[in-house]
Amino acid sequence: MTAQFPGIKPSERSFRLGQFPTKVYRALSGATVKRAFGNRAYGYELQLTFTNITDTAASQLIDHYNGTSGGFSRFTLPAETFAGMDATLTSKIQSPTQIKWEYTSPPEVRSVYVGRNTVTISLAGELDY
Amino acid sequence: MSEIRIAQYFKLTTASGVVHRYQNYFVGASSSYLSESYGFAPFQASGALATLNGDNETLQVLFPNLEVVLRLVEQANGNRLSTLQFTNAWLNASDQILTALTDYYVGIGASFSETTVELRFRSAIDSVGSAFPARTLTRENVGPLPLNSELYLR
C-alpha cells in the first residue's frame, strides 16, 4: 500500500492536460484521417515545486517517493497539493477520470540554506482501471 | 469521414465452453454488444490478411501479462482449443455502434514475454489446398510428356 502523498502546499504548480489516444493518417493530398483508440485521456503532467521547505518536509517527500518503490506504484494527491484553486478547477486536476499519479523522475532536492531545501517533483497522470 | 472511432470486441470460448469477453475502447468500463457485456482489457490486434490463394488469415492479439489473461490461456490449453469471435465496431461521436464486422478464428497457440501475452489465431475456414486431388501426370495417364515446362491443361 502506497503511503499518502505528503500534505505540503507547493509554492509553484504546473499542469498539462492529458491527450486522447489517436493516430493520424495523412494522404499525399494532405487530407487527414484520424482514428481514436479509446475514450479516455492519458498522460497528464503535473510539476510541483516546494520552495524553502524544512529538512523534515523534504524527508517526507523523499520517503513518499521511496514508498512507491522508486516511482513504480501510483497514488492519489491530497487537497493540500492544490491549495489556492477553487473546487471546480481542483476537481479537474486533482483526479481526472480514472487517472492516478506516478513519478516521472526522482524528486530533485536543492539545498538553499541551513535546514532549507527546494524540492521539485514531476508527476504523470496515467489511466488506472 | 475524417474521424474514425473503432472499438474491438474479443469473445473467446475455451474448449470447456467458458466464455471470455473483452473490449479495448471504453477504458475501465463495460460495453454491451449484441446484448452481451464486454469488460475492458488493453489489448491490440494485428496481422489479419487475405490472399488470392485463400490461405488462412492469421490474427495476433496482444495482451499485457495480466493474471486474467494467463488464466484465459491456460483454460484454452495454451490457446490451441479456443474459438474466437472478433468484432470491429465503428462508433459515432457519442460512442454508439454504427457498423460492426465480425470475423471467426480458431486458436493456434500463444507466446509469452516478460510484459505481454500474444494469442495467435487463424481463420476458421481455409480454401481447398492444391494437393487435392493428389494426382501426378505420368506417361501412363496422359501420354507422352513434354521435355520442357510448356504444359497446358485444357
Side-chain angles (χ1 to χ4, degrees):
Chain A
M1 181 83 180
T2 305
Q4 177 79 22
F5 190 84
I8 307 170
K9 296 176 184 175
S11 46
E12 192 177 324
R13 190 174 45 222
S14 172
F15 177 71
R16 187 178 197 175
L17 282 166
Q19 56 187 327
F20 282 77
T22 59
K23 270 190 175 180
V24 178
Y25 164 77
R26 184 180 292 277
L28 292 175
S29 65
T32 58
V33 176
K34 293 186 290 183
R35 178 181 167 182
F37 292 85
N39 68 337
R40 291 276 180 263
Y42 70 98
Y44 292 77
E45 294 176 22
L46 181 63
Q47 190 158 14
L48 304 171
T49 303
F50 302 87
T51 306
N52 299 338
I53 59 174
T54 63
D55 285 352
T56 305
S59 291
Q60 288 177 8
L61 293 169
I62 291 171
D63 288 345
H64 183 263
Y65 174 74
N66 290 331
T68 64
S69 305
F72 181 76
S73 303
R74 291 176 179 159
F75 51 89
T76 57
L77 293 170
E80 289 87 346
T81 304
F82 302 94
M85 282 182 177
D86 70 14
T88 305
L89 184 55
T90 298
S91 68
K92 293 173 182 172
I93 297 178
Q94 183 176 10
S95 53
T97 307
Q98 289 172 323
I99 288 294
K100 279 192 175 178
W101 297 97
E102 64 184 37
Y103 289 92
T104 56
S105 60
E108 191 177 312
V109 181
R110 189 160 55 91
S111 297
V112 293
Y113 190 67
V114 178
R116 292 287 164 179
N117 312 272
T118 293
V119 180
T120 305
I121 287 178
S122 297
L123 304 175
E126 298 291 354
L127 285 168
D128 199 88
Y129 50 87
Chain B
M1 179 186 290
S2 61
E3 297 171 4
I4 304 172
R5 298 170 182 82
I6 300 177
Q8 294 177 314
Y9 292 84
F10 174 97
K11 181 180 179 181
L12 184 138
T13 306
T14 67
S16 58
V18 179
V19 179
H20 298 267
R21 286 186 291 266
Y22 297 107
Q23 53 82 23
N24 66 358
Y25 188 88
F26 303 97
V27 180
S30 293
S31 175
S32 182
Y33 174 65
L34 294 180
S35 304
E36 291 181 319
S37 179
Y38 289 73
F40 174 74
F43 65 85
Q44 65 183 61
S46 63
L49 56 89
T51 67
L52 288 176
N53 295 329
D55 296 342
N56 279 123
E57 293 180 9
T58 58
L59 176 75
Q60 294 90 40
V61 182
L62 192 68
F63 281 90
N65 204 333
L66 299 172
E67 186 265 342
V68 65
V69 180
L70 295 176
R71 197 181 324 134
L72 180 153
V73 174
E74 291 307 315
Q75 286 179 349
N77 195 11
N79 195 40
R80 286 175 297 169
L81 298 173
S82 61
T83 59
L84 171 68
Q85 290 180 48
F86 193 82
T87 302
N88 285 293
W90 278 256
L91 312 174
N92 63 14
S94 303
D95 290 339
Q96 304 299 310
I97 295 176
L98 296 173
T99 312
L101 292 174
T102 300
D103 287 308
Y104 299 86
Y105 298 91
V106 292
I108 55 174
S111 57
F112 299 84
S113 76
E114 66 272 24
T115 54
T116 61
V117 176
E118 183 185 82
L119 307 183
R120 294 192 300 275
F121 301 89
R122 63 169 174 79
S123 55
I125 297 176
D126 192 8
S127 64
V128 175
S130 59
F132 178 80
R135 297 291 301 274
T136 305
L137 298 180
T138 64
R139 189 182 294 272
E140 285 69 32
N141 58 25
V142 299
L145 291 169
L147 295 177
N148 57 20
S149 59
E150 293 178 3
L151 181 65
Y152 300 97
L153 298 176
R154 295 169 186 259

